[in-house]
Amino acid sequence: VTGVGLNAFRKLPLPEGGIPSNAHPHNFIIQLFLETGALGLIAGLVLWGLVFRQFWVGAKADLYALAGLSSFVAFTVASLFSASIFSATWLSFAIVPALIAYRTGWRISRSLNRKKKA
């Protein structure tokens, strides 16, 4: 239910085939489930869905939100095959471009709404 703990995948015993488990599963869904359990997986997927929905709604009207959506989708697809999801470098690749796109789009749409009211 609660998993083996963050970044504890490498401490799991070796399988019978002798494949080393000192790295990570190379799939963020499997890694979330193994390390945070069902509770962490559900919370992570809900958060993932909320961020995706926010960008999806914004992308229909704003180019910057579309860029944020593209960045988020690229990160999601790459996370299915790549580095550990809890790596600081990897997380900054997801968070920083998404925040910049979201904030820039929010700022521009807010200034456009002010011009429409005036």
Side-chain angles (χ1 to χ4, degrees):
V1 173
T2 59
V4 296
L6 293 180
N7 291 322
F9 180 78
R10 70 186 107 206
K11 296 177 182 173
L12 293 175
L14 288 174
E16 288 183 25
I19 300 170
S21 65
N22 60 356
H24 50 85
H26 289 357
N27 183 315
F28 84 96
I29 295 173
I30 293 172
Q31 184 177 5
L32 273 176
F33 182 65
L34 287 174
E35 295 184 359
T36 63
L39 299 175
L41 179 64
I42 291 169
L45 292 179
V46 166
L47 179 63
W48 223 259
L50 290 173
V51 171
F52 181 80
R53 187 179 65 104
Q54 182 70 27
F55 281 126
W56 184 263
V57 169
K60 294 178 181 177
D62 187 37
L63 181 62
Y64 294 99
L66 180 62
L69 177 66
S70 300
S71 170
F72 191 71
V73 168
F75 174 79
T76 302
V77 170
S79 299
L80 293 172
F81 307 103
S82 190
S84 171
I85 192 84
F86 299 116
S87 164
T89 306
W90 195 237
L91 284 175
S92 66
F93 172 71
I95 294 170
V96 172
L99 285 176
I100 291 171
Y102 181 72
R103 178 68 177 146
T104 306
W106 176 75
R107 176 93 170 155
I108 289 173
S109 66
R110 189 172 172 197
S111 67
L112 289 176
N113 287 337
R114 285 184 185 169
K115 288 180 183 178
K116 287 180 185 177
K117 289 180 183 178

